[in-house]
Amino acid sequence: MDAGLREPSFYFVKAIAILDNDGNRMLAKYYDDSFPTAKEQKEFEKNLFNKTHRANGEIIMFEGLTCVYKSNVDLFFYVVGSSMENELILASCLNAFYDSISEILRKNVEKRALLDNLDAVFLAADELCDGGIVLESDPHQIVQRVAIRNDDIPLGEQTMAKVLQSAKDQIKWSLLK
Amino acid sequence: MLSLKRDKKEEEEGGGNPFYNLEKSAVLQEARTLNDTPIDPRKCGHILTKLLYIINQGENIGQNEATKAFFAMTKLFQSNDPILRRLVYLGIKEMSKIAQDVIIVTSCLMKDMKGKEEFRGPAIRALCSVTDSTMLQSIQRYMDEAIMDKGPAVASAALVSALHLGKGSHEVVKRWVDAANAVATSENPMVEFHALCLLYHVLKNDKIALFKLVSKSRKFRSPYSYCLQIRIAAKLIEREDAGSNSELFDFIESCLRHKSEMVIYEAAQAIVQLKNTTAKDLAPAVSVLQLFCSSPKPTLRFAAVRTLNKVAIKHPAAVTACNLDLENLITDVNRSIATLAITTLLKTGNESSVDRLMKQISSFMSEISDEFKIVVVQGIRSLCSKFPRKHNVLMTFLAQMLRDEGGFDYKKEIVECIISTIEENPEAKEAGLAHLCEFIEDCEHTVLATKILHLLGREGPRTPTPSKYIRFIYNRVILENAAVRAAAVSAIAKFGAHCEDLMESCIVLLERCQLDSDDEVRDRATFYVNVLKQNQKPLSSAYILNGLQVSVVGLERALHQYTLEPTETEFDMKSVPLATQPLAEQKVRDVPGESASVKPSQDKVAASRQDVYQEQLAQVPELANLGTLFKSSRPLEVTESETEYYIQCVKHTFSNYIVFQFDCTNTLNDQLLENVTVDMEPAEGFEVSKSIPCVNLPYNKPGSTYTLVRLPSEPTQVTGTFACTLKFLVKDCDPQTGEPDDEGYDDEYVLEDVEVTVADHVQRVMKPNFAASWEEVGPENELEDTYSLSTMNTLEEAIKNIIQYIGLQPCERSDKVPEGKSSHTLYLAGVFRGGHDALVRAKLALDSSGVTMQLTVRSTDPNVSEVLATAVA
C-alpha cells in the first residue's frame, strides 16, 4: 500500500465482454495478460456472471478487479479494469459500449438481435477500445464509424431482389447465347 | 422450408444462437470459399463473422489453417462493400498473431489508409498490427500525415496505433512526438487525449519535460485528458516529495471543482493517495467524496467508499466526518458498497459509536452472505483490540453471531476472533469462555470443538471458578464423536492436574471414560488417571499440563534411527531436536477488507527451517557426526549488502560444537573465487578445529563454507566474539563466458565480527502453564539477582532487550505489558544446550531512574542457572 502511487497509466480498460443469460460468451476482448488463456478467461466470465446476474448493482469488486456491468433482457455487458482504476472512467466506457450497441440494434438489446448483427457488434467493440486505450467514448461516433447501413433493406425483400437479379442475369445470358 | 426447419432445431439447441456449436474445421473450410469470384459481400461477410466468432470464443487455430484463411481473406480487398472491408480489417488484426506472411497485405492497407475517409482509421490500425520494426521507416511519413489528419477518427487511430507500435519501445514512439504535439490542442476531445497519451509515453522518464507538460495549465476538452494529467501531476509530486504547496497540487485541487464527476473523483483520489498531506489538504477531497456517498449512482457511491476506505487506513480522523453517510451505505443493495462501508466504519469508529454500529450491523447480518460476514468479523476483531473496554458489547455480538446459521469458515473466524480477544484481554476471558462453552454444546464442526476444548483445558483451570466448565466438557464426552471425546478427556485431566480440590472428581470422571468405545479415548483416560493418582506436581506438570516439546519431524527421524540400530541403551528423549517456536509471534493481522490471502504457509516454513539445516549439514561429511543439531540462529549479515562479496552467517549449535555456516555470494562477474574459507580468530576458551572450504565460487552462484569451533570445556563460559576474515584465491575471468585465467592470486577480505551469545545456546520452548513448570523444576538450582537497567525508559523496551539477550520464549503472553502499569512480571522458558530446562522469572518495576529488575532463574542444571543469570549483565 505504501509502495506509492502507481505509474500513471492510460490503459484504462482490461477487458470488455458481453455474456448471455447463461453466462456464455457472446463477445469478449481482453487487453492485457491478466487472464492469458481462453480457459482462464471463460472461468473468470463464469464466476463474474454468477456473482452479477442476480445482483442489480452496476459495479462489483471481483477477484481484485473492478467490474462495471449493465444488463438488458438476456444480455450482460461488462467493462473490467484494475481495482485502482477510476470507476467513473470504466462506467463511461460501459455506457459508450452499451449505448452504441443499443443504437446498432435499434434499441432492441437482446440476444437474438445481437446475433443477427454480430458483425456490427464486433466492429463497435473494435471502435470502442483498442488495446486497452479508449478509442472513442461517444456512442454516436462509434455507430457512425461502424458505418452500418442503417437503411438496410429487410432480409426477406433483399433475398427477393437477389433472386430477381439472378433470374435477370440468367435470361440475359440465355439471350446472349 | 428446409432452412426454416433447421433454424428451429438450432433454436432448441443453442437458445436461438445461429453460431452455437460452430465447428472450427467447418468454418475454416467455408473460409476457403472467400476465394470464389464474383464476391458476394453478404455471404462473405457472414463467413467472416463466423470466423471472428470462433476466434473470439477462444478456439485455437493452427498456423497453417490460419494462414490459408488469411490469404483467402485478402482476396476480399477486391470488393468495396464497406462492412465487408471493415470485417476484413478485423480479421487481419485477429489473424496477424497466428498466420504467417501477414505482411503481404501491407500494400492494400497502405492504399486504404490514403483512400476513402471511412476506411482510413481502421486501415491504419490493421496496418500497425501487421507491421514490424523493419517497415517503420516506410510508414512513418504516412503516420505523420494521418495523425495530423482533420478527421478525428483517423487521427485517433494513428495516435493509438503509434503507441501500440512502440509496445513500450521509447525509440519507436518518439518519431511521432512532433505530430502529436501539433494535435495536442485538437478540437476533438479524443484526439487531444490520445495525443497526450503519446506525449506522456515518450516523456515519462524526463522529469523536466513532464513538468512542462503538466504545468502548461490549459483547458482540456476530454475528461480523460484531465484524469491522465492528474495522475502525472500526482506522480511528479510524489517523486519530488513536494507537499501541498507545489503548483501541481493547486492544479489537482482545482480539478475538484471540474464539472465532470470523473475528473472530480480522479482529483480526490489523487489527493488522498499523496503522502505528505495534512488534514487541511485532505478536507476538500474528503468532502467531495462525502457528497458522492449519497449519489443515486451505485458506481459513484462505490468509488467514494472505496477511496474513503483507503483514507481510513492512514487518516481515520479525516473520515470521521463521513461516518453518518457511511452508516447509510451499510444497507446499500450493492454488496461491494456495503462491505466497504462497514470496513471503513470499523476502522474509523470511535469508542462511543461502537454500540450504535453493532446495533446497525446486527440488523442486516441475516441478509448477507458468509463471505461478507467474515469481513465483518475481521473488522470486529480489530475493534476488539482497539477498544478493549468495549469487549462486553463486542463479545455479546459475536456470541449472537455464533448462534446464528453459518458455514464452517464463518464460524471458525468468529471462534478465532473470540480466542484472540480472550488472549489479549484478560477481562474478557470469563465471558468469552462462557460463550465458547455454550457454542460447543451445539457445534457440528469437530475441528472447532477440539480447538475450544483445548483452550478450555488451558485457560479454564486458572479462572476463579474452574468447576463450572467441567460440566460443559464432560457433556462432550457423553455426546460427541471420538475426536471430540479425546480432546474433552485431555481437558478434564488438565483441570485435575491444576486444581487440587477438583482432582478427586476429575479422576472419577476420567475413570468413567476408561470404558469408552474408542481406543484413543480409553488410552488417554487411563494414562491421565494413573498420572493424576501419583499426585506429584512435577509429574502432572510434565505429562499433563505442558506436554511434549520436541519437533515431530525430529522425533520421527530419531525413533527411526533408534529402531535401525538395536542397542541396549534406552531411547534418549533429549537427543530429539526441540520444536522450534514458529517465529510467527509477530503475526501481522491483515487489515480487514484487504482480503486475507498470504496468511498461512509462513508458520510451516519457520517450523521446519531447522530440519532443513539439519539435512543440509548432514550432507557435509566432515560435519555429519556432531550429533543432533540443537539450534540454528537466524542468518546474520557479515558484509554490507552492496559489496563485492555478500556473506551471511548462520550459527549452528551442537552439544559440544558450534558450526559457523557462511553463505557467500560473489557479486563480481569478472572473478572466480576458489578455495574460499573464513579464518576465525577464536575468543578465549574456544578452539577452531576445522574449516571446510567452498571449492569454487563463481559469479552470482551462492556457496557455503563452514568453520567448526569446539566449545570451551568450562560449562559457564559460553559467549565470545570472533574476528573473521574471508580468505580465497582469485582468478580473473571473462565476464561474458565466465572462462577463468589459469593463474590466480591469494586475497582476503575482512568481515564483521561474529558474536556468540547466550541466546545461541538456548532453544525457545512455549510452556502453556508456566507456574506448573516452575514448580516442576523446583528451587534446587535457583539463582536470584537484582539489576538496575538505567538505560531503559519503558517496560516494553526492557522486555524486548531481556528477551533478546536471554533468547528464551516469553510465556503466558507476559511479553505484553497492560497499559498504564508500572510493574510487570515476565516469564521466559526454554531449554539449554544439552537438554536442560531453563526458566526465568523477571519482575520488572519502572521508576524515575529507569527499570529495576529482579531476575530469578531456575534450571535443572546449576551451570545453566549461572549462565542465564549473568546473561543480562
Side-chain angles (χ1 to χ4, degrees), chain B residues 666 668-673 698-699 730-741:
Chain B
N666 173 9
L668 299 177
N669 61 0
D670 57 352
Q671 281 191 0
L672 172 74
L673 308 188
Y699 165 63
V730 186
K731 285 186 177 172
D732 291 328
C733 64
D734 189 312
Q736 260 81 46
T737 60
E739 196 64 41
D741 293 351

Side-chain angles (χ1 to χ4, degrees), chain A residues 25 29 85 87 145, chain B residues 56 86 94 194 231 306:
Chain A
R25 177 192 285 187
K29 284 259 158 211
E85 193 47 76
E87 291 83 351
R145 288 183 198 174
Chain B
N56 199 266
R86 298 290 314 281
E94 294 291 347
H194 293 136
R231 287 179 194 186
R306 183 177 68 87

